[in-house]
């Protein structure tokens, strides 16, 4: 609501037959202790901290029995490591891959978290890294990555919103562009349906959303 500067969030699911079901009703602000990132054991993953003024950011796991466990994270920053030694800056999206690892977009990085909390960076933009997510010729500061998805081989697809493209990161660290959005559209999310890559795009003038294959 622009006039009141309020955010409203809700969560729903779409069944294969096209019917919608509401999982979380519309709520002011962003939902807490909820995330669609869930592993095969029924554990859900969400973030704690990371808001404006927060100096910490952690990944938390909620077990099917309701037990809350800190997986990784502590002070805000960027560092690989295990548990509290790993640092995160701004997590935008998380998903659990077929291998049981948690994958996430952290600012301009794509990172991987093992079930026991070991964090590694798969690719990073804006700085020298073995896998670069951004074109070196682009002069503007890189914008955060958005949604991501992982296939059976461990290949990651991530929405590079600022550069209007979707990148593929192979398990060996190679990065390549697999899809581009034409102005004014920008990719915000990706999904896999068989061998098809599905894109969710947003019009940069804050207009409607659309999906495409």
């Amino acid at each position: 609501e622009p006039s009141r500067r309020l955010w409203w969030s809700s969560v729903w699911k779409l069944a294969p037959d096209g019917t919608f079901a509401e999982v979380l009703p519309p709520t002011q602000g962003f939902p807490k202790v909820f995330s669609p990132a869930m592993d095969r054991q029924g554990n859900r993953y969400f973030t704690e901290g990371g808001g404006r003024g927060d100096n910490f950011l952690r990944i938390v796991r909620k077990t099917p029995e309701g037990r809350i466990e800190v997986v990784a994270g502590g002070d805000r920053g960027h560092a690989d490591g295990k548990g509290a030694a790993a640092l995160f800056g701004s997590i935008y999206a998380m998903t659990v891959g077929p291998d049981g690892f948690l994958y996430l977009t952290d600012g301009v990085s794509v990172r991987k978290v093992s079930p026991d909390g070991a964090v590694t960076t798969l690719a990073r933009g804006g700085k020298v890294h073995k896998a670069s997510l951004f074109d070196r010729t682009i002069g503007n500061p890189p914008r955060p990555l958005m949604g991501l998805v992982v296939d059976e081989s461990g290949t990651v697809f991530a929405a590079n919103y600022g550069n209007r493209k979707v990148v593929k990161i192979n398990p060996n660290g190679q990065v390549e562009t697999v899809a581009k959005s034409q102005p004014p559209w920008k990719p915000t999310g990706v999904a896999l349906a068989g061998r098809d890559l599905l894109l969710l795009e947003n019009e940069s003038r804050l207009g409607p959303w659309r999906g495409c294959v």
Side-chain angles (χ1 to χ4, degrees), residues 16-110:
D17 62 1
T19 58
F20 288 87
E22 194 173 69
V23 179
L24 185 71
T27 306
Q28 184 177 329
F30 293 97
K32 297 184 181 298
V33 195
F34 183 90
S35 170
M38 183 172 66
D39 62 23
R40 295 176 180 177
Q41 289 71 46
N43 298 301
R44 290 189 178 274
Y45 295 85
F46 57 96
T47 59
E48 184 177 67
R52 182 175 298 178
D54 291 334
N55 59 3
F56 70 97
L57 179 55
R58 295 187 287 262
I59 295 176
V60 181
R61 176 169 54 219
K62 184 178 181 181
T63 68
E65 299 76 27
R67 187 172 65 255
I68 303 296
E69 306 167 337
V70 176
V71 179
D75 294 338
R76 296 184 75 167
H78 183 98
D80 289 346
K82 188 174 182 179
L87 304 182
F88 303 98
S90 54
I91 297 174
Y92 280 77
M94 296 190 296
T95 188
V96 177
D99 56 3
F101 283 68
L102 183 69
Y103 294 79
L104 56 91
T105 56
D106 178 13
V108 297
S109 304
V110 173

Side-chain angles (χ1 to χ4, degrees), residues 105-158:
T105 56
D106 178 13
V108 297
S109 304
V110 173
R111 308 181 73 184
K112 180 179 179 179
V113 186
S114 68
D116 63 352
V119 180
T120 55
T121 298
L122 301 179
R124 191 176 187 185
K127 294 185 179 181
V128 177
H129 192 270
K130 65 178 181 180
S132 178
L133 289 169
F134 299 94
D135 298 330
R136 295 177 181 272
T137 56
I138 294 179
N140 296 327
R143 297 181 180 180
L145 299 169
M146 296 292 193
L148 77 169
V149 69
V150 186
D151 69 12
E152 293 289 340
S153 70
T155 298
V156 180
F157 299 86

Side-chain angles (χ1 to χ4, degrees), residues 129-202:
H129 192 270
K130 65 178 181 180
S132 178
L133 289 169
F134 299 94
D135 298 330
R136 295 177 181 272
T137 56
I138 294 179
N140 296 327
R143 297 181 180 180
L145 299 169
M146 296 292 193
L148 77 169
V149 69
V150 186
D151 69 12
E152 293 289 340
S153 70
T155 298
V156 180
F157 299 86
N160 188 327
Y161 181 85
N163 286 355
R164 285 195 168 96
K165 65 182 181 181
V166 174
V167 294
K168 179 174 75 172
I169 307 164
N170 293 327
N172 59 5
Q174 292 181 334
V175 178
E176 63 177 294
T177 299
V178 294
K180 292 185 177 181
S181 298
Q182 298 301 315
W185 299 97
K186 295 183 178 182
T188 58
V190 287
L192 290 170
R195 299 184 62 181
D196 293 328
L197 179 66
L198 309 181
L199 277 63
L200 180 66
E201 294 179 312
N202 170 244

